Amino acid sequence: MRARTARPPRTRSWSWSDRLIEAGVLFLLVFTPLAYGTVEPWSEAIAELVVLGMAVTWVLARLPDWELRLDLPPGWLPAALFLVLVVVQVIWLPAALIRTISPLTAAMDDAAVAYSAESPALWSVSLAPHATWQEGLKLLAVAAFFLVLYNTYRTRGQLQRAVWAMIAIGTLISVFGIVQRMTWNGRFYWIGPEAPHGAAFGPFVNRAHFAGLIVVVVPLALALILAERREPTRRPLHDRGWRGRLRRWNSQQARPTRLVPFLMVLMGAAALVSGSRGGVVSLVVALLAMVGLGASGRSGMRRAARVAVATALILLAGIWIGGDILYGTIERLAEEVGRPEESARVAIWTDAIDLWRRAPALGTGLASFEVAYPSIRTIKWPVTFLHAESDWVQLLTDTGLVGLGLAVATVVILALALLRRARWAEAPRTRMFALAGLIALFGATVQGIGNFNLPVMSNLLYLAVAVVAGLQTDG
């Protein structure tokens, strides 16, 4: 294994392993969002088995050469250490050590021991070892998926097919979600299981999870448009202007990418009318960031202007499709910001800080919030809280300062690598996809402040593809 120093040549034969791995990638891009975002055990198991098959295929394809070379992406070290931390949380450690590094875990274990005949000599850091192990396996599968893509996706065709699959599925579930809102009968796909609450949108149990997926797909769609090469041909006077552009768009020579602006506007508008406050904020912030970061040089100003026009069209489409829903979302967001003392989210975060103080270093165990929170809960409402309503707050409570620091370090290193390619890469296409990967990562980070998306495997896999596209696209 080695860190990546030089990019391998792009010209290589198309092998059986490449075909199998790409088939696995495309299957996951289609399956994971449609399977309720892959948040249930059965769908997670299918996705993890497919990723395992991709990893085994990659290894078997390299055994005949007796060389197993693995290119490591930026941020691999803190990401690997985070997975090691999860393993530490579930293994059995001496009780004296647990009392030192996690007083809350020790206190809850002592309370449990009071009802048993003897006190065990070994405890685990995690208050919910089984849940921690399951969540760790999911993150390990996402990491393996990212590594396989980073080491096999070398050609423009591979990345384009993945991006087109993401755009197609994003458009499909956007239309599905809008139609579902108008004909909602309380069941997924109208015939499936009943939704646990009224926040479902399309196949997703939570509308914020749908918005999180679209925040990843829209920047890639924009990059596909901006990276399209234009032939510098001189056109007659009568073929210039908006009429000429419409005639060319409707001609037989028009490329499939001419449809992307309409699909992008539809997806963005669906995210706005989904009713997710975090989705609205993260999408708008991501698009504005793409405008600002893309405005460098004369050609950059033109690209920024096109992104700004796309942002305006998405807002107008959202108002046209569901202005009342969008207005209600913004009104609820303003109320929560204006009266934080009445916000359930702020109350949970206040309790979560107290929870973190009782296990500051390693936390209470990944995915253990549901078990740990009742011990310090101050909210009197008759509601069960399964998570902290924030990716970053829950990372703090679940994995402590060590886990949060490793997660932040991974994101920062990836963001800096994408930013360098977006600024200094020679090919415009490389810069556009690097910028799209950076904006997708930034949008997911912003939405993670006020929403909890970590359990949604589909969003993690889509984000992995967006980042790989930004790191690997050349020419």
Side-chain angles (χ1 to χ4, degrees):
M1 261 188 257
R2 63 178 181 83
R4 189 180 181 90
T5 55
R7 190 175 299 278
R10 297 279 167 174
T11 56
R12 63 189 183 92
S13 59
W14 188 247
S15 64
W16 63 271
S17 61
D18 294 321
R19 290 187 174 89
L20 284 178
I21 289 172
E22 184 170 11
V25 171
L26 296 178
F27 170 80
L28 290 173
L29 294 179
V30 173
F31 169 77
T32 53
L34 298 180
Y36 313 124
T38 312
V39 295
E40 297 185 350
W42 65 269
S43 54
E44 288 179 5
I46 292 174
E48 289 167 1
L49 286 174
V50 173
V51 173
L52 177 62
M54 292 168 55
V56 170
T57 300
W58 182 83
V59 172
L60 291 178
R62 279 142 187 84
L63 287 181
D65 298 330
W66 296 98
E67 182 182 7
L68 191 62
R69 187 183 67 180
L70 180 65
D71 291 326
L72 299 174
W76 71 270
L77 182 57
L81 291 176
F82 184 90
L83 293 175
V84 171
L85 171 62
V86 175
V87 174
V88 170
Q89 288 183 329
V90 297
I91 62 177
W92 296 102
L93 298 172
L97 179 61
I98 297 296
R99 294 183 189 281
T100 302
I101 62 179
S102 185
L104 177 62
T105 302
M108 296 188 71
D109 286 338
D110 284 336
V113 165
Y115 294 94
S116 61
E118 57 183 30
S119 175
L122 299 176
W123 291 339
S124 67
V125 171
S126 175
L127 293 174
H130 181 69
T132 301
W133 182 251
Q134 281 189 320
E135 195 69 16
L137 283 179
K138 183 194 302 183
L139 294 181
L140 178 62
V142 173
F145 178 82
F146 186 92
L147 275 177
V148 171
L149 257 67
Y150 190 77
N151 282 270
T152 58
Y153 267 46
R154 307 296 195 196
T155 67
R156 183 190 306 177
Q158 288 173 306
L159 292 168
Q160 275 195 328
R161 286 189 288 273
V163 171
W164 272 108
M166 294 166 71
I167 293 173
I169 293 299
T171 304
L172 175 64
I173 62 177
S174 296
V175 174
F176 172 34
I178 293 172
V179 173
Q180 184 191 60
R181 269 198 174 274
M182 296 184 294
T183 60
W184 179 240
N185 65 352
R187 293 182 176 274
F188 291 105
Y189 295 102
W190 296 284
I191 57 174
E194 292 186 4
H197 45 71
F201 192 89
F204 288 88
V205 177
N206 193 318
R207 56 199 174 196
H209 300 162
F210 163 78
L213 188 81
I214 300 302
V215 168
V216 174
V217 179
V218 166
L220 288 174
L222 268 171
L224 202 63
I225 300 169
L226 299 175
E228 183 182 13
R229 295 181 178 178
R230 296 184 174 187
E231 294 78 7
T233 56
R234 187 175 182 83
R235 302 186 184 278
L237 291 176
H238 70 274
D239 199 28
R240 300 179 184 178
W242 288 105
R243 293 183 179 180
R245 293 182 183 181
L246 286 173
R247 281 196 295 269
R248 292 195 298 275
W249 179 82
N250 197 35
S251 66
Q252 293 182 353
Q253 290 77 25
R255 299 178 180 179
T257 50
R258 299 294 175 89
L259 287 174
V260 175
F262 299 96
L263 305 181
M264 177 193 63
V265 169
L266 176 61
M267 288 186 288
L272 295 182
V273 302
S274 65
S276 170
R277 290 164 289 181
V280 170
V281 172
S282 58
L283 180 61
V284 173
V285 169
L287 290 173
L288 292 178
M290 198 166 188
V291 172
L293 292 175
S296 58
R298 185 176 177 182
S299 60
M301 291 299 295
R302 287 198 297 267
R303 287 193 297 268
R306 296 173 71 184
V307 177
V309 170
T311 303
L313 290 175
I314 288 174
L315 290 173
L316 290 174
I319 294 172
W320 180 64
I321 293 174
D324 55 336
I325 299 174
L326 182 58
Y327 175 78
T329 303
I330 296 174
E331 188 177 36
R332 287 187 292 113
L333 177 63
E335 289 177 357
E336 189 166 18
V337 173
R339 295 198 293 268
E341 67 279 359
E342 300 178 7
S343 170
R345 185 176 275 104
V346 174
I348 295 173
W349 293 349
T350 303
D351 287 347
I353 296 301
D354 185 30
L355 177 61
W356 163 70
R357 289 195 184 101
R358 303 188 184 195
L362 303 182
T364 60
L366 190 65
S368 67
F369 187 85
E370 181 182 0
V371 176
Y373 181 64
S375 64
I376 51 87
R377 173 173 173 165
T378 61
I379 302 176
K380 303 302 181 182
W381 305 336
V383 179
T384 301
F385 295 101
L386 304 180
H387 45 74
E389 295 292 345
S390 169
D391 287 331
W392 301 108
V393 173
Q394 185 149 342
L395 277 174
L396 179 63
T397 62
D398 285 1
T399 61
L401 281 177
V402 176
L404 180 64
L406 293 173
V408 170
T410 303
V411 172
V412 169
I413 293 172
L414 283 172
L416 290 175
L418 290 167
L419 182 60
R420 283 194 296 270
R421 285 176 63 82
R423 290 293 189 187
W424 307 113
E426 295 181 1
R429 184 182 189 83
T430 302
R431 293 197 299 271
M432 285 300 96
F433 275 96
L435 180 60
L438 176 62
I439 295 303
L441 183 63
F442 176 69
T445 302
V446 170
Q447 193 186 16
I449 297 173
N451 290 121
F452 187 61
N453 289 323
L454 278 178
V456 190
M457 196 170 185
S458 62
N459 293 14
L460 296 175
L461 296 180
Y462 269 56
L463 182 59
V465 174
V467 173
V468 169
L471 293 172
Q472 296 290 63
T473 301
D474 273 349

